[in-house]
Amino acid sequence: MDAGGGRPARLVHLARRVLSATLDRRGVLYLGSGALSAVVYYAILGAELAALGHRVPYLLLIVTSQFVASVAVYPWYRLMVFRVSGSSWVLGHLRFYAVGLGFLAASVTGVPLLVELAGIPIMVAQALVIVVNVPLGYLAHRLWTFPSRRKN
């Protein structure tokens, strides 16, 4: 009979097996890339808020930060995460940005609700919105922006 001493180790082992089965190399790389994207976006948004936050509405700064971050991180996603070649960079970025517009919609809706109604700081509110969107973004990019070109 197990007195519980081996349970934590078994739970950790089970969690690792579930994670490795759930996330392939691309999934892990995407999560790291999502963190990188968040850092790029936050740096841009933070700089804009520091420089213009008292003169420009924060929602406009969210919009411009999202666009600039999208342009900056698209090559990384195309070349390193989803390893796409041979198709149009412009059309690929338009698809990438179309998914980003969904995130932007979530930001311009969710951030003001969290800021104005709950009193949460802008950067924290944006972080909460991003955490919810990351899994949805992976699926959208994997299935639509950078679909697999494998033949069955």
Side-chain angles (χ1 to χ4, degrees):
M1 182 155 180
D2 184 9
R7 278 192 194 146
R10 283 196 305 255
L11 288 175
V12 168
H13 179 69
L14 178 61
R16 285 184 184 153
R17 286 182 51 203
V18 168
L19 279 175
S20 67
T22 304
L23 297 174
D24 58 5
R25 180 211 60 86
R26 188 172 19 185
V28 172
L29 188 57
Y30 178 82
L31 290 176
S33 299
L36 175 67
S37 296
V39 168
V40 169
Y41 172 77
Y42 274 20
I44 295 166
L45 181 59
E48 286 184 343
L49 284 169
L52 304 169
H54 57 285
R55 295 183 302 216
V56 178
Y58 69 87
L59 286 177
L60 181 59
L61 300 179
I62 287 173
V63 170
T64 58
S65 297
Q66 196 268 349
F67 176 75
V68 173
S70 170
V71 171
V73 301
Y74 172 70
W76 175 260
Y77 279 84
R78 180 181 173 95
L79 298 173
M80 300 304 293
V81 179
F82 294 100
R83 297 185 182 203
V84 174
S85 63
S87 61
S88 168
W89 274 70
V90 173
L91 291 176
H93 187 260
L94 289 175
R95 289 171 80 122
F96 185 79
Y97 195 69
V99 172
L101 289 175
F103 298 142
L104 183 59
S107 291
V108 298
T109 304
V111 171
L113 287 172
L114 293 169
V115 169
E116 305 301 330
L117 297 179
I120 296 173
I122 294 168
M123 297 295 276
V124 174
Q126 183 63 80
L128 294 172
V129 171
I130 287 172
V131 166
V132 171
N133 282 322
V134 168
L136 298 174
Y138 175 70
L139 288 175
H141 286 313
R142 184 174 183 184
L143 298 174
W144 186 65
T145 308
F146 305 106
S148 177
R149 304 251 191 296
R150 286 181 250 160
K151 294 181 181 176
N152 294 335

